[in-house]
Amino acid sequence: MALDHATRQLLEELAGSGGRPLHESTPEEARALSASLAAMAGPAPRMARSDDLVAPGPDGHDVPVRVLVPPQGARGVIVYLHGGGWVIGTIDEYDTMARKLAERTSCAIVLVEYRLAPEHRYPAAVEDCAAALGWAASHRNDIAGRDDVPLIVAGDSAGGNLAAVVARRARDAGGPRIDLQVLVYPVTDADFTRPSYTDPENQLLLTREAMEWFWDHYVPDVARRAEPDASPLRAPSLTGLPPALVLTAEHDVLRDEGEAYAERMREAGVPVEHHRLEGQMHGFFTLLMLPGSERGFQRVVRAVRACIATHSKQRALQAG
């Protein structure tokens, strides 16, 4: 299916801006482009609370987090890990998207300002996100007003990679218990030979060369890219992971690895809901001006609401 009109128009505007391709840019130039795209997000819903806090991180490093609580209160806590190839992206750039997610899901959102490469290479981002997840789990009462609400981890692109990794690490560590993982076009494997990588029709906002550029900054040691904390698809076992919602895009170099991860989880007995959004490219979820964003949001909202309902039933059974 061809890209929708709004997406084609956005790509034409970006091409006409005269900027260099991502893989030919410096991290600073790439970060400026990311900020300019985030500025197109439009007005942000009002929150009952927006608190900038810190979570104790590894080796005495504090991890900045932003807690957003919608006006109707929080029926769950979503730890959201932003995308950007581990090199670009900030919680400020994701603020509008996170507020919309909080409003639509009736959940508190915890945005995590994990350290970026190349200044801080792998596994700094993983360690920061794991620390922030643990902090959110132990502070649910402060965040949501109750400590028995479900805990959800979510992320897009590199954030989807980090969400998958910390979900598996939580399983291996015996906690915290995660009730749902939401993986939006996640990076799951450092393999640039899959058909979705080599398809010319997928070289759009994110290209094969750009992903190689991201990996070179994040994990320059090619041998370490096979580690499960870098490429979660290569984990020996995915048994016992939390239920998952996986969204992929038809025209995305990451499509095949995201779908392969969904299938491996399903084969391991993990409840998985997967949707490939036809006519969409990488980035559709957070580009709020695109029609694909709303379609993606609807899938996520339904999955989160179902998770909350299941959690409530389980709590009622335990109490009764």
Side-chain angles (χ1 to χ4, degrees):
M1 181 177 177
L3 286 172
D4 64 65
H5 175 73
T7 302
R8 292 198 307 271
Q9 188 174 37
L10 174 63
L11 289 172
E12 290 170 1
E13 292 174 0
L14 292 174
S17 65
R20 289 195 294 175
L22 184 62
H23 66 278
E24 297 178 2
S25 302
T26 65
E28 292 73 22
E29 290 169 335
R31 290 164 184 167
L33 173 61
S34 176
S36 68
L37 288 173
M40 301 179 185
R46 300 182 70 174
M47 295 285 103
R49 284 170 45 204
S50 175
D51 299 327
D52 286 336
L53 306 169
V54 293
D59 302 321
H61 165 75
D62 286 335
V63 182
V65 296
R66 178 169 297 167
V67 177
L68 300 169
V69 180
Q72 67 270 37
R75 299 181 61 199
V77 173
I78 301 175
V79 177
Y80 196 95
L81 310 175
H82 70 75
W86 313 281
V87 175
I88 61 180
T90 68
I91 58 177
D92 285 340
E93 292 173 14
Y94 271 68
D95 187 78
T96 298
M97 186 284 300
R99 287 169 179 256
K100 180 178 177 181
L101 191 61
E103 179 185 58
R104 297 278 296 274
T105 61
S106 297
C107 287
I109 308 295
V110 179
L111 286 172
V112 181
E113 193 83 280
Y114 58 85
R115 288 171 291 174
L116 299 177
E119 295 88 351
H120 304 280
R121 301 189 191 277
Y122 168 84
V126 173
E127 300 296 342
D128 287 358
C129 292
L133 177 68
W135 175 87
S138 63
H139 286 78
R140 268 178 281 195
N141 190 59
D142 299 327
I143 295 169
R146 291 166 49 188
D147 58 11
D148 59 352
V149 297
L151 178 67
I152 298 165
V153 64
D156 62 285
S157 194
N161 167 278
L162 294 167
V165 169
V166 298
R168 194 201 73 251
R169 283 170 58 120
R171 177 204 65 181
D172 294 345
R177 172 187 166 85
I178 298 170
D179 296 281
L180 176 69
Q181 51 179 327
V182 177
L183 312 179
V184 180
Y185 35 77
V187 184
T188 68
D189 194 16
D191 179 359
F192 313 119
T193 65
R194 297 178 185 275
S196 60
Y197 262 108
T198 58
D199 188 341
E201 292 189 5
N202 294 348
Q203 312 307 311
L204 300 168
L205 189 64
L206 180 69
T207 65
R208 175 180 178 177
E209 291 80 7
M211 277 306 304
E212 291 173 339
W213 182 89
F214 283 128
W215 276 105
D216 286 344
H217 282 303
Y218 182 51
V219 194
D221 183 347
V222 174
R224 296 201 69 187
R225 296 178 186 178
E227 295 177 8
D229 281 358
S231 293
L233 185 59
R234 305 196 188 197
S237 172
L238 301 183
T239 303
L241 290 176
L245 170 69
V246 181
L247 300 184
T248 57
E250 178 185 9
H251 299 294
D252 183 4
V253 294
L254 301 181
R255 183 195 67 215
D256 290 351
E257 64 194 82
E259 295 179 0
Y261 193 70
E263 184 56 30
R264 268 208 66 200
M265 285 193 291
R266 188 177 287 116
E267 291 172 352
V270 178
V272 177
E273 179 183 352
H274 165 247
H275 301 280
R276 177 193 290 186
L277 275 75
E278 304 295 332
Q280 298 303 313
M281 68 173 181
H282 188 86
F284 72 81
F285 186 74
T286 57
L287 293 170
L288 303 181
M289 76 294 292
L290 297 181
S293 179
E294 175 57 25
R295 290 169 56 195
F297 258 80
Q298 290 175 4
R299 299 289 189 186
V300 172
V301 170
R302 280 198 290 268
V304 170
R305 288 178 177 171
C307 173
I308 293 171
T310 298
H311 187 271
S312 297
K313 290 178 183 177
Q314 291 173 343
R315 192 172 67 247
L317 289 173
Q318 292 169 354

